Amino acid sequence: VKESGKNDCILYSESWSNSSLERLTLQHEMYRAIQRQEFVLHYQPQYDIGSGTMVGVEALVRWKHPIRGMIPPGEFIPLAEESGMIVQIGDWVLEEACRQNKAWQEAGLPPMPVSVNLSLRQFVQHDLAGKVAKVLEKTGLEPQYLDLEITESMTMDVAHVSRCLIALTNMGIGISVDDFGTGYSSFHYLKNFPIDRLKIDRSFVRDIQQDPSDAEIVAAIIAMAHNLNIQVIAEGVETEGQMEFLRKHRCDEMQGYYWSPPVPSTNIEQMLGSAYIQ
Ligand code: C2E
Ligand code: CA
Ligand code: CA
Ligand code: CA
């Protein structure tokens, strides 16, 4: 970066050149990262609120960069979305999560769904449902053990996304709406798409005990979802008080630092092994 030329450097301020060069460099390096196997998945447990048992895991991607160390998804997913690389990364994430979940089952661990985050960009590709079917066939994972998390966005072809989701649901795959309540079209989603579960965004969960309107909103989301036969999971649960509130309002599942942050696959094996085997 520094040796790129004696003259160009003085044209730009340090911070400007740093940030845009950084972006370009990262984007460039991302292309090689898949082949070099620099991406890894961590898994965050999801628990049944009533019994406290682990009922699922969410796969969250990390980039083990050879020089920069572990890069969190917040720093490269937006770049990957911009450049379109998210489709290749998403393909890798989907296959790796399915492979891992099948391996856990074969090791005798209690079967449970793995949730995979889908970028809306992945819906634009041809025949998403067909692609998912191929991954399930290749990895041997049964469809009920895969859950796809989708986020709300204004810019999408509703009819197309709806067709994709119906095809996926008909295969037996679960569909969750991520970050529920933060988008522009939360209710539109519930009305038009075959949704199995919604995830209450952590911004609502955070102040559940301090902010009466957040408490009202969360209680109302849970009641409404249940009337529509949709399961509810709360994300970002960090305290016992938040958990108690959610339990009292009959939220179904929860996920958050209170129980566990996202962890490497071996930690999940230990958690599940100690709870079920022996
Ligand atoms: P998300 O899907 O909403 O994932 C939840 C994020 O909240 C994760 O951050 C998780 O570590 C964090 N989190 C979990 N529990 C708590 C808690 O109790 N408190 C707080 N403050 N945070 C908590 P992470 O792993 O850094 O991921 C950030 C985002 O990156 C994800 O948000 C998701 O939008 C995106 N992402 C991650 N992996 C993938 C992927 O494979 N594909 C796509 N398209 N996006 C991904
Ligand atoms: Ca998610
Ligand atoms: Ca979320
Ligand atoms: Ca989010």
Side-chain angles (χ1 to χ4, degrees):
V1 166
K2 291 257 164 59
E3 61 269 20
S4 62
K6 293 154 205 142
N7 299 321
D8 350 325
C9 288
I10 52 167
L11 293 174
Y12 311 109
S13 78
E14 242 335 89
S15 64
W16 188 89
S17 64
N18 272 349
S19 62
S20 64
L21 277 174
E22 173 98 356
R23 287 158 62 87
L24 276 176
T25 312
L26 272 183
Q27 266 181 356
H28 179 68
E29 289 172 340
M30 236 185 281
Y31 282 96
R32 295 175 312 196
I34 292 186
Q35 284 88 13
R36 296 186 178 182
Q37 299 184 301
E38 291 172 6
F39 291 112
V40 289
L41 294 184
H42 282 187
Y43 297 88
Q44 186 174 33
Q46 303 174 331
Y47 298 89
D48 179 86
I49 289 195
S51 64
T53 43
M54 202 194 294
V55 290
V57 291
E58 177 177 4
L60 293 153
V61 69
R62 274 94 183 88
W63 183 359
K64 263 191 189 163
H65 192 283
I67 296 153
R68 296 161 202 259
M70 202 69 109
I71 307 180
E75 278 173 39
F76 67 90
I77 293 284
L79 286 176
E81 302 242 7
E82 244 172 65
S83 66
M85 265 297 283
I86 190 65
V87 173
Q88 283 93 318
I89 296 174
D91 285 352
W92 179 84
V93 169
L94 178 69
E95 184 168 335
E96 173 59 15
C98 291
R99 186 202 62 74
Q100 179 65 75
N101 200 16
K102 181 68 181 177
W104 282 332
Q105 292 181 10
E106 289 189 329
L109 297 171
M112 58 183 66
V114 63
S115 297
V116 171
N117 291 282
L118 272 197
S119 160
L120 270 179
R121 278 261 199 169
Q122 292 176 266
F123 283 93
V124 178
Q125 61 190 330
H126 177 68
D127 194 19
L128 176 65
K131 198 175 209 178
V132 173
K134 281 202 189 91
V135 170
L136 291 176
E137 199 186 318
K138 181 174 173 190
T139 59
L141 187 72
E142 291 163 90
Q144 70 265 34
Y145 297 118
L146 175 63
D147 175 83
L148 298 174
E149 296 192 1
I150 58 172
T151 46
E152 305 166 33
S153 162
M154 284 193 300
T155 54
M156 58 169 200
D157 177 347
V158 175
H160 172 70
V161 172
S162 174
R163 271 194 303 276
C164 284
L165 291 179
I166 287 168
L168 290 164
T169 309
N170 286 343
M171 287 163 56
I173 291 163
I175 306 290
S176 297
V177 184
D178 204 356
D179 305 337
F180 186 83
T182 60
Y184 295 89
S185 50
S186 303
F187 297 103
H188 188 238
Y189 259 65
L190 299 188
K191 185 167 140 57
N192 291 287
F193 298 150
I195 302 300
D196 300 296
R197 184 171 76 156
L198 62 82
K199 300 189 81 173
I200 302 178
D201 190 70
R202 68 168 178 271
S203 59
F204 296 108
V205 174
R206 193 180 52 220
D207 299 326
I208 248 175
Q209 291 178 284
Q210 294 82 31
D211 187 333
S213 54
D214 281 348
E216 284 296 334
I217 288 168
V218 168
I221 290 175
I222 296 169
M224 176 203 63
H226 285 167
N227 282 332
L228 295 169
N229 258 317
I230 293 171
Q231 296 273 106
V232 187
I233 177 166
E235 62 178 8
V237 180
E238 294 183 357
T239 69
E240 174 139 29
Q242 291 166 347
M243 189 193 64
E244 287 308 331
F245 179 95
L246 293 162
R247 180 178 278 153
K248 195 175 117 205
H249 288 86
R250 310 208 169 266
C251 186
D252 304 288
E253 296 169 12
M254 57 172 212
Q255 176 179 350
Y257 295 164
Y258 179 71
W259 289 89
S260 171
V263 292
S265 56
T266 49
N267 297 40
I268 296 289
E269 283 150 33
Q270 283 157 11
M271 290 179 202
L272 284 175
S274 60
Y276 291 87
I277 294 180
Q278 84 209 261

